[in-house]
Each structure stands twice: as C-alpha cells, then as structure tokens.
Amino acid sequence: MRSFKGFVIKEFYHIFRDKRTLLILFAMPVLQMLLFGYVITNEIKNARIAVWDRSKDVITQKITDKLRGSGYFNVVLEIDNEEEIEQVFKKGEVKEVVVFESNFAEKIGREGVAKINIIADASDANTANLVVSYTSAVINDFTVKELRAVDPPMKINTETRLLYNPEMKGVFMFVPGTMAMILILISALLTSVAIVREKETGTMEVLLVSPLKPSQIIIGKVTPYVALSVINALSVILLSRFVFGLPVQGSYTLLITECVLFIIMSLSLGILISTTTNSQQVAMMLSMVALLLPTIMLSGFIFPIENMPFWLQVVCRINPSTYFIIIEKNIMLKGTGFLSVWKETLVILGYTLLFIGLSVKKFNVRLS
Amino acid sequence: MLSVSAHELKKNYGAVKALKGISFDVSEGEIFGFIGPDGAGKSSLFRILTTLLLPDAGQASVCGLDVVKDYKKIRKIIGYMPGKFSLYQDLSVEENLSFFASVFETTIESNYHLIKEIYSHIEPFKKRRAGQLSGGMKQKLALSCALIHKPNVLFMDEPTTGIDAVSRKEFWSMLKGLKKEGISIVVSTPYMDEASLCDRVALLQDGIILKTDTPNAITDTIGKKVWAISSESVYKLMCDLSGYGGCYSVYPFGQMVHYMPADQSEELTLVENFLKERNHRNISIEIIEPTVEDCFMELMRINKEDKR
C-alpha cells in the first residue's frame, strides 16, 4: 500500500512538473471544445439574403419579418426585378434570394396555395443546402402557426431532420464526439507515453529490479490519469452545458459511469501500446494514428457511418469510440436510460478486458 | 553461502556474442570488481545477474536463488545501480529517495543509518531536482536509492564512469564502509586503477574472464618487471622502443610508457644508451612492480596469441 501511494504521488509530480503534459491535459480539452463548438459548425447564423417581394402584402411582410427575426438570416437587400438576382449573386452579396409571387395573400385566400421561390447560391453547396432548409423550416413553421394550414408537404421531411436537435445546433452533434476524442487522447496517449518514457530514460530498469509487480507498476502509473480524465470529462460536460447550452437529457450518474468505463478502456489501450515499443515517439505516433484519426473520422463523430463503403463500416464497427459516441448521444440528447445502451456498454467492457489481458500478457518483466 | 555464483554464462545478441561462458563466485561481504573496457560484456553480465536479461546458456544464482526461476525473490534482496543514471530527473533528491523507499515498503528513517554517510553529502541539496545535480552527486543519490532497502547484494554497473577523481575516491571509501555492514558488492569499472580497491577482481575482455584473483595475486602472477620510462616525447618513445630489438611490449601510461623487455635480465643502461642515440632528452628509467593494467594488457596479449 505504501508503494502504491508513493507511486501515485510520484506520478503526480511528473504530471504537474511537465508543461507539455499539463498543456495537453488541461488546455486541449477546452480548446477543442471551443474549436468544435464555434468553428467547425454546420449551423448558420446571420446568413445574408435578399428578398424580392412582388406582392408587398400583409402576409409576405409577416414572412419576411419572421425570416429576419429568426436569427439565422440577415435580410440585407430588397430587390425589384429579375436581373438583380443575377447581379447580387455574382457580387457575392447574398447567399439566397427569396421571391414571393405577385398577389400572394390573395392567392392563398382564394386557392389555398401560393408560391415562394427560394434561389440559393450553390457554388457553396453545403451552405446553400443549409440556408434553403432553414428557410423552408421557417416558412413551414409560419404556415403551420399563422395560417393553420393542415398538412403542408414539407412537414414530414423536416420533422425527421430536426428530431433531437430542433434548432439543428452543431454543438449537439459535436459534443459527444469531442468528448470521446479528448478522453481517448488523454487516456491512451498520455499513459502510453508516460510508461514508455520510463523505458527510455532507464528508470523502468530500476523499477523492474524491485519487488513491484507489473500490475502495481501499471496501476500506479494510470491511477492519476483516471482521476484527471474524469475531471476532464466533467469539464467537457460543464462546458457544453454552460457555454453551448446543451443540457444532458438523461442521467448524469449514468453518463459519468459510462465515461469512467471508456476512460479505463482507453487507459488499457494506452498500456497495450506502451508494451509494444520502447520509444516515446513511436508511442505517440501509434496513439495519434491508431486512435485519434479513427475517433474523428470513423466513429460517426463527423461523417455518418451509413454513408461509408462497406469495408469502412466494418472498421467503424471495430472502433470502440463508435460505441461510446452512440452511448453518449443516447444519454445526452435522447435522455434514454441504461436499457438502451447496455449492448454498447458491454462492447466497451469487452474491449477493456481484452486490452488488459493482452497488456498483462505482453508486459515484459525483463528487458527485451 | 555464496552471494553470487555464475557458471558458464552465455549471452548472444543475434550474431554478436556478448558473453562467451563466464564463471565466477562472490563470497559474502566481498567487494568483487569486473574490470574491462567498453564492450567487454559487463552490462550484459550485470543485467543477467539482476534478473533483467535471460542468459542463453549457463546458470547463475544470487544468495542461492536462481536468476531465471527465482527472479521475484531476488528482486527483493538486491540493490541495483544501472550504468546509465536512472533516477527521476524531475523529482528532487528527497522525493527520489522517499519514492524508492516506498517501492520497497520502507521509509527513509528506518534505514537512515545505512545511507547516512553517503546521503549526508547530498542532504544540503535535498530540495534540488535530481537532473540538476553534478555527476558525483547523482551517483551518491543513486547509491542511496539502491541501498535504502538494505539489500544483501549490491550490483553497480560502472558507478564511477564520468565523475571526477575526488568523487571517485569518496565513492570507493563509501563502498568500503558498506562492506562493514555485511553487504556484498559486485561492481564494474573501466578504470584499471580502481581494481586495487576491490577484494577480488575479474578481468573481462570480449565476453570472457581472462583472470579472477585478488589484485595482488594478479600482479604477482605476471612474473615480469615493468620499466616505467619517460622522456620529453611519449610518442617518440613509443615509436623508438617498439623498434628496439629486445622489446617484448610497450604501452603508453599517462606521461610515461610501460616497457617490458623480452629478457628479464636485460641491462638498463643498454636501453638508456639506445634512447640517447635517438636524441631523447631527460630520460628516466625506473623498474616498478606491474600494475593491474599492465597485467590486463599482458593477459590480453597472451589471449590473442592463444587464439592464433
């Protein structure tokens, strides 16, 4: 027990005296959260649009106001002929032009149908797509609420896309993935590097020639990282709650328990990496390439798995982060309980046992 | 009981044969030195004895425990100082020591008497990070850490390499003190002059032991006198003497050369005259007892001739 305590204290000294480790440990999670929350986002804010109102009646005026007031759009121009549409797009002044047909209110009153033409600048296809669907959503909302129209044709389409994220906030999509990334990076990368550093500096040689068992060395080594990773997980949750306004719908206890499980899995993966190499650089590269990239690209974090070619889908299914992100999305966004995530939890538990087993088997009680 | 015993130890790294059959015994409370140049196989031998490496052939035991089978028990009773400084550079002197004490489930206080003489030298700097200590102080700290659990056998791989002459002297006097505590010490060094400080030495070269004996016995067995010759140019002395007819061997030795005549009854004046003819000035020739280094060179030479 004395040796365990001594080991943990020593490990904390290492962590708090190394600026690089501290930076990775505490600055990176916050930075990444802010980066993913603000910069890499697929929501639109104050998109510049133009309106060509050929009717200028009460209803078109209301819709225009609604667009203005939504916060997504900034109506910067009012135009009054066809040629101008071309001109404003060419100058790049606006992303979209909304055209109301003439006698708009009258047509709705008489025929129940009126047309709005939405023209978007699709040279930037993603933005065009977003702007159009946002506009449709706002108009759709208006027709439902103001005109009490029943069953507008766009409704079904919109409904599925807006289900757990009614405002299509990017941060809702990115928080689970970012959390998985931060946890796996800190847990696996830092522990593997920390263990390999002892090999590189020769201190492992002295530790091996001591009564310490391999398990004692490993547990002593990773305990501080478990503690610090949990703090990180909490700070990510707090950041997303208070900076990005994303509340956790489900149980906090369940969410944190799942995080701890994922942290332990990442740590055992880090230990496994450390048993394969004697160089800090190799350990770092392995952690980066083998963990970071798959966690970002092949986990459903940014790119939907369903759209990938089959062999990449297989890779995604192997990637443990995929399961953690599903768990997180269920708990944080849908607010479901353990019953909806037990399968994924089991997968992560299985990986944990596998990695620990392999590490113990591969840990060398001698110098290679 | 023997503290360390090895029989026909062999170790290969691929095609390189690091140890080619090493046998020796170390008695309890003995300071046993391995003397040999870099690459002689000292570190490989120490790593096998400290259970860090497996031998390819042969047996070895520490305090009667087999280095392969009983490695866990051995690790509890030995102290080990690797050749490379292997403490935590970012931890202070005191933190390093208390960490290693905790690893062995003990405290600094309970074994303080054992390390007092050594640790008192560095205690004034106990708040300093180990990485900022001088070479000599680093080694004293490493020794303190290796001793904190009162080991039965202490293994030290080149503890004095790279530290200054004064620190080296201090270090050896500390080892003498540990001997009194009943700790057996196995130490290696590339410095021949440290051989005389050991109880017994083994001369190691190219993975074999040339000779194992007390320092005195080793210098006696050579059976030849050595001439310490100096003049104004050591280099010129070397060149001229090696061309001299009656020369058996000649090696540079600091500011002098150590010369051995082929015929032990060779007249001193003959050599002196030969050197005068070659324009050497301030010639001094003295017949001395051979040192361990002379013996080492001689044994290496015999060993090479045997191979041919």
Side-chain angles (χ1 to χ4, degrees):
Chain A
M1 205 54 216
R2 195 198 292 281
S3 62
F4 174 72
K5 199 177 140 201
F7 215 111
V8 172
I9 293 173
K10 180 211 82 157
E11 211 53 41
F12 271 114
Y13 283 140
H14 289 323
I15 293 169
F16 287 108
R17 284 175 191 176
D18 184 24
K19 286 201 186 89
R20 273 187 306 174
T21 309
L22 277 181
L23 212 64
I24 294 180
L25 208 48
F26 293 114
M28 208 176 66
V30 177
L31 260 170
Q32 272 177 339
M33 271 303 286
L34 297 179
L35 266 178
F36 279 108
Y38 283 125
V39 185
I40 312 171
T41 161
N42 56 14
E43 64 186 283
I44 53 169
K45 214 175 254 180
N46 297 327
R48 296 157 69 85
I49 60 168
V51 173
W52 179 16
D53 193 346
R54 299 169 71 174
S55 176
K56 288 203 193 331
D57 54 49
V58 192
I59 292 179
T60 60
Q61 203 53 54
K62 269 191 177 167
I63 293 177
T64 310
D65 287 344
K66 183 105 184 166
L67 285 174
R68 267 205 189 93
S70 67
Y72 306 133
F73 306 104
N74 195 359
V75 181
V76 290
L77 271 178
E78 305 243 353
I79 53 181
D80 51 19
N81 60 64
E82 191 123 24
E83 289 88 63
E84 266 186 281
I85 297 175
E86 189 89 28
Q87 283 170 15
V88 289
F89 278 135
K90 279 193 174 154
K91 283 184 194 156
E93 283 173 346
V94 296
K95 297 279 179 199
E96 182 192 61
V97 176
V98 179
V99 186
F100 298 96
E101 67 173 333
S102 45
N103 306 323
F104 193 89
E106 200 184 315
K107 278 191 177 168
I108 283 189
R110 199 159 16 99
E111 299 162 27
V113 176
K115 276 188 202 154
I116 298 177
N117 207 350
I118 302 170
I119 309 163
D121 176 3
S123 60
D124 181 355
N126 270 336
T127 314
N129 230 331
L130 282 167
V131 170
V132 170
S133 63
Y134 272 59
T135 315
S136 317
V138 170
I139 295 167
N140 199 23
D141 191 47
F142 176 82
T143 41
V144 172
K145 283 184 185 155
E146 304 279 324
L147 303 178
R148 304 190 201 288
V150 201
D151 216 10
M154 287 176 286
K155 195 182 173 189
I156 297 159
N157 212 355
T158 329
E159 183 108 58
T160 44
R161 291 205 56 175
L162 301 184
L163 203 56
Y164 306 107
N165 185 3
E167 295 158 81
M168 293 258 287
K169 275 198 173 171
V171 66
F172 282 37
M173 298 297 158
F174 287 115
V175 165
T178 311
M179 204 151 124
M181 190 177 79
I182 290 169
L183 293 184
I184 206 160
L185 194 71
I186 285 171
S187 310
L189 184 119
L190 288 183
T191 38
S192 67
V193 168
I195 293 176
V196 173
R197 187 187 296 139
E198 298 238 12
K199 292 192 196 176
E200 216 177 78
T201 56
T203 46
M204 191 54 102
E205 204 171 328
V206 184
L207 290 183
L208 286 177
V209 187
S210 79
L212 290 178
K213 294 189 196 98
S215 58
Q216 285 177 301
I217 297 179
I218 287 174
I219 293 172
K221 206 78 205 160
V222 301
T223 304
Y225 289 100
V226 175
L228 295 170
S229 300
V230 171
I231 294 178
N232 263 316
L234 288 176
S235 59
V236 169
I237 294 171
L238 288 178
L239 263 180
S240 63
R241 172 76 186 83
F242 292 107
V243 178
F244 298 110
L246 167 63
V248 175
Q249 303 287 349
S251 142
Y252 274 92
T253 325
L254 180 61
L255 179 63
I256 288 162
T257 315
E258 295 282 357
C259 284
V260 172
L261 178 65
F262 186 69
I263 287 167
I264 293 173
M265 189 221 67
S266 311
L267 290 171
S268 42
L269 189 54
I271 295 164
L272 187 61
I273 290 174
S274 75
T275 60
T276 61
T277 174
N278 287 330
S279 133
Q280 286 189 65
Q281 268 176 343
V282 174
M284 207 178 291
M285 286 310 291
L286 263 176
S287 308
M288 286 290 201
V289 176
L291 304 179
L292 192 57
L293 288 180
T295 306
I296 298 177
M297 310 292 231
L298 302 172
S299 64
F301 171 11
I302 296 180
F303 307 111
I305 298 173
E306 296 74 26
N307 301 348
M308 292 180 190
F310 177 73
W311 64 275
L312 272 181
Q313 288 198 24
V314 173
V315 178
C316 292
R317 296 281 167 228
I318 297 171
N319 185 2
S321 302
T322 308
Y323 299 95
F324 183 60
I325 290 175
I326 294 174
I327 293 175
E328 276 183 298
K329 280 186 176 166
N330 273 330
I331 299 174
M332 294 173 85
L333 306 181
K334 296 189 194 166
T336 51
F338 180 70
L339 284 178
S340 71
V341 293
W342 68 272
K343 275 186 217 150
E344 285 79 9
T345 312
L346 218 58
V347 171
I348 293 179
L349 194 67
Y351 270 115
T352 312
L353 297 178
L354 176 74
F355 292 147
I356 290 177
L358 281 176
S359 312
V360 170
K361 210 170 161 220
K362 285 199 76 181
F363 189 88
N364 210 337
V365 293
R366 298 191 167 83
L367 300 175
S368 48
Chain B
M1 192 173 61
L2 291 171
S3 284
V4 183
S5 171
H7 184 70
E8 284 298 312
L9 280 180
K10 288 186 181 140
K11 180 75 193 171
N12 305 329
Y13 298 103
V16 181
K17 290 179 176 164
L19 299 176
K20 301 171 187 167
I22 300 270
S23 304
F24 66 92
D25 292 317
V26 179
S27 315
E28 223 174 296
E30 194 175 28
I31 300 183
F32 192 93
F34 281 95
I35 318 284
D38 292 345
K42 295 189 301 276
S43 294
S44 297
L45 179 61
F46 272 67
R47 284 177 173 167
I48 289 175
L49 296 177
T50 53
T51 75
L52 282 170
L53 282 181
L54 294 172
D56 292 325
Q59 294 93 41
S61 64
V62 176
C63 296
L65 300 163
D66 189 85
V67 293
V68 179
K69 276 183 291 178
D70 304 321
Y71 74 95
K72 282 182 185 164
K73 285 182 192 158
I74 291 180
R75 288 176 181 187
K76 285 182 186 152
I77 56 166
I78 60 170
Y80 173 46
M81 245 178 93
K84 196 175 143 197
F85 179 68
S86 300
L87 298 178
Y88 297 100
Q89 314 249 2
D90 54 341
L91 259 55
S92 74
V93 169
E94 200 178 20
E95 286 157 1
N96 264 299
L97 193 60
S98 64
F99 170 67
F100 282 101
S102 76
V103 162
F104 288 91
E105 300 281 338
T106 179
T107 56
I108 299 179
E109 292 74 34
S110 51
N111 281 325
Y112 190 75
H113 65 280
L114 204 63
I115 58 161
K116 186 172 179 258
E117 195 201 340
I118 304 150
Y119 188 57
S120 58
H121 290 255
I122 45 174
E123 211 161 8
F125 311 101
K126 65 181 182 186
K127 297 281 173 220
R128 195 182 285 186
R129 303 265 168 99
Q132 289 157 358
L133 295 174
S134 70
M137 288 204 280
K138 275 183 183 165
Q139 292 307 79
K140 282 171 198 165
L141 175 59
L143 181 56
S144 304
C145 290
L147 279 172
I148 194 68
H149 59 294
K150 196 172 191 326
N152 298 5
V153 189
L154 181 61
F155 291 93
M156 288 187 288
D157 192 6
E158 301 200 7
T160 54
T161 297
I163 68 174
D164 65 274
V166 179
S167 295
R168 274 168 62 189
K169 266 209 184 96
E170 276 178 2
F171 204 82
W172 277 95
S173 78
M174 288 169 191
L175 296 191
K176 294 274 177 203
L178 290 175
K179 187 185 146 94
K180 282 184 203 120
E181 297 277 346
I183 297 173
S184 312
I185 297 168
V186 182
V187 57
S188 74
T189 175
Y191 301 120
M192 305 286 170
D193 55 327
E194 291 180 347
S196 57
L197 301 166
C198 303
D199 294 329
R200 283 196 305 147
V201 295
L203 304 182
L204 197 64
Q205 163 78 10
D206 276 339
I208 56 161
I209 291 182
L210 299 173
K211 195 160 191 60
T212 310
D213 218 325
T214 63
N216 285 337
I218 283 184
T219 51
D220 286 348
T221 49
I222 190 171
K224 286 173 184 156
K225 292 287 180 198
V226 173
W227 299 11
I229 305 177
S230 67
S231 82
E232 280 183 343
S233 162
V234 176
Y235 177 69
K236 197 164 181 301
L237 263 180
M238 283 287 298
C239 297
D240 288 342
L241 282 170
S242 57
Y244 181 63
C247 171
Y248 173 71
S249 70
V250 56
Y251 300 107
F253 204 97
Q255 292 304 303
M256 292 184 266
V257 298
H258 278 189
Y259 170 80
M260 269 191 249
D263 179 2
Q264 285 287 301
S265 55
E266 167 120 36
E267 290 288 330
L268 201 143
T269 44
L270 279 176
V271 177
E272 193 170 0
N273 287 338
F274 167 78
L275 289 175
K276 274 180 187 158
E277 274 169 33
R278 300 287 167 110
N279 299 321
H280 284 277
R281 270 176 294 175
N282 300 333
I283 301 165
S284 120
I285 303 182
E286 203 184 332
I287 296 180
I288 56 164
E289 290 297 324
T291 64
V292 173
E293 183 161 0
D294 293 316
C295 300
F296 194 89
M297 300 310 253
E298 175 64 13
L299 287 165
M300 259 172 67
R301 188 187 172 107
I302 294 169
N303 189 41
K304 263 184 200 155
E305 275 164 11
D306 282 355
K307 274 187 194 158
R308 285 184 202 131

